[in-house]
Amino acid sequence: MEERPLIRPENTIAVIQKYGFDFQKKFGQNFLIDSHVLDKIMAAADIGPEDFVLEIGPGIGTMTQALAKQAGGVAAVEIDSHLVPILQETLAGYDNVTIINQDILKVDIKALAEQYNEGRPIKVVANLPYYITTPIVMGLLEGRAPVDSITVMVQKEVAVRMEAGPGTKDYGALSLAVQYYAEPYLAANVPPNCFIPRPKIGSAVIRLTLRRQPAVAVEDEKLLFRLIRASFNQRRKTLVNSLYNGGLPYTKEQLAEAIRGMDLPETVRGEALTLEQFGTLANRLKGMD
Ligand code: SAM
């Protein structure tokens, strides 16, 4: 049977009509219908026959078709059971795709890599459902599963925050958490008319290449992220005051001493600190325990 690429809007519409598919807002369903954007995702993801890909939320299988052509294998995890019979038809021409009807937040990614890729690092590619972008991405970064890279379509503002640096308004706890584990690269901006139905917001494709080691070496990772969260909870306050109000187990004098010892002005705000400086601060405070 000749394949009808779903990236062409008329083919997506035909499939939706054939199955009488109802878009579920609660699952963040916006299907991609722009071949240039698909090309950019594929270029950023850099998939070859040696790669095993986890696709999160395949929808009707638009990106899955492209991934299946380039990858050694693909596992496509879709929560909406109404899409399973559709995927079985649109992906019938590929013997290297496994459709898994599950909530991605409940999938054991390490076990999946074991089962399908002998425990070697997998590549994650997705046009993510925006309502759970952060838990999905942070789960992949923190989960210690073997993941090589994560190439995802997300809400534009989220992509900008992920790659923002110190001193910018978008720099915050998400930037630091992402950059601790990965190197971000913003690959494309994507307007709403590239999807059916059109989302209300702009989107962007970001590639996160996982580091072999976290970007900074800290004795106490939990403390590092507590410091970061406290600093940005009150981002207009000085660092010493936000940390002091942040419920950390240090006196104001200890906090001020640790900051002074880093040659930072006492009035410095958390938003001015690099990840490396947050790391140094965490280690200095740890030394005062
Ligand atoms: N990949 C398709 C495309 O690009 O056209 C669909 C992308 S759509 C933005 C997001 C997809 O994720 C939908 O198919 C939705 O049903 C699915 N989804 C939503 N929540 C999910 C979850 N928790 N686990 C797995 N899939 C989910």
Side-chain angles (χ1 to χ4, degrees), residues 17 60 102 106 111 118 121 125-126 141 165 180 228 252-253 260 263:
Q17 285 177 346
I60 59 171
Q102 259 232 55
K106 297 191 179 136
E118 294 166 351
V125 184
L141 292 174
Y180 179 73
I228 290 173
K252 197 162 181 179
E253 191 37 52
R260 269 197 309 272
D263 280 338

Side-chain angles (χ1 to χ4, degrees), residues 3-264:
E3 181 183 279
R4 288 151 55 89
L6 296 162
I7 198 63
R8 294 177 58 172
E10 65 271 25
N11 293 339
T12 281
I13 291 165
V15 166
I16 285 163
Q17 285 177 346
K18 176 175 171 189
Y19 285 87
F21 177 72
D22 273 331
F23 286 93
Q24 301 258 5
K25 229 180 167 170
K26 68 169 181 196
F27 289 146
Q29 292 175 340
N30 301 95
F31 297 164
L32 189 64
I33 47 158
D34 186 294
S35 60
H36 298 296
V37 174
L38 180 60
D39 290 347
K40 283 183 186 168
I41 296 171
M42 295 304 291
D46 188 24
I47 305 296
E50 70 291 350
D51 291 318
F52 187 87
V53 175
L54 162 62
E55 187 190 6
I56 300 165
I60 59 171
T62 310
M63 271 169 42
T64 330
Q65 290 181 334
L67 292 167
K69 282 195 189 105
Q70 290 194 17
V74 181
V77 177
E78 174 55 61
I79 196 169
D80 186 352
S81 57
H82 295 104
L83 287 166
V84 173
I86 304 182
L87 287 165
Q88 278 161 351
E89 183 190 320
T90 59
L91 302 173
Y94 302 96
D95 59 8
N96 59 346
V97 179
T98 308
I99 301 161
I100 302 171
N101 185 200
Q102 259 232 55
D103 178 348
I104 189 63
L105 296 177
K106 297 191 179 136
V107 172
D108 179 343
I109 314 260
K110 195 161 181 237
L112 186 133
E114 288 287 345
Q115 184 176 352
Y116 295 101
N117 206 32
E118 294 166 351
R120 283 174 288 142
I122 58 171
K123 290 186 175 175
V124 178
V125 184
N127 172 10
L128 284 179
Y130 295 169
Y131 73 107
I132 44 168
T133 297
T134 308
I136 292 177
V137 171
M138 288 317 300
L140 288 164
L141 292 174
E142 290 168 345
R144 311 265 188 252
V147 174
D148 178 82
S149 63
I150 304 169
T151 305
V152 281
M153 177 96 68
V154 297
Q155 196 177 324
K156 169 120 192 269
E157 286 72 18
V158 174
V160 169
R161 277 164 49 206
M162 285 178 174
E163 66 140 24
T168 62
K169 72 171 177 15
D170 298 302
Y171 186 57
L174 182 67
S175 327
L176 287 156
V178 164
Q179 292 166 31
Y180 179 73
Y181 295 106
E183 240 177 281
Y185 158 66
L186 221 161
N189 285 320
V190 183
N193 62 4
C194 296
F195 305 90
I196 294 181
R198 291 181 186 201
K200 289 199 178 70
I201 43 175
S203 305
V205 177
I206 192 162
R207 177 187 160 115
L208 307 175
T209 308
L210 273 81
R211 304 178 192 277
R212 280 168 201 270
Q213 299 292 333
V216 295
V218 286
E219 250 181 86
D220 185 343
E221 223 169 61
K222 272 206 182 109
L223 175 61
L224 171 70
F225 286 107
R226 279 183 75 186
L227 290 177
I228 290 173
R229 270 196 307 274
S231 307
F232 288 97
N233 268 346
Q234 298 186 308
R235 64 185 293 152
R236 307 311 301 163
K237 291 215 157 110
T238 60
L239 179 61
V240 66
N241 280 332
S242 355
L243 295 182
Y244 185 60
N245 297 334
L248 288 146
Y250 301 101
T251 64
K252 197 162 181 179
E253 191 37 52
Q254 283 177 312
L255 293 166
E257 189 192 321
I259 294 168
R260 269 197 309 272
M262 289 170 62
D263 280 338
L264 291 168

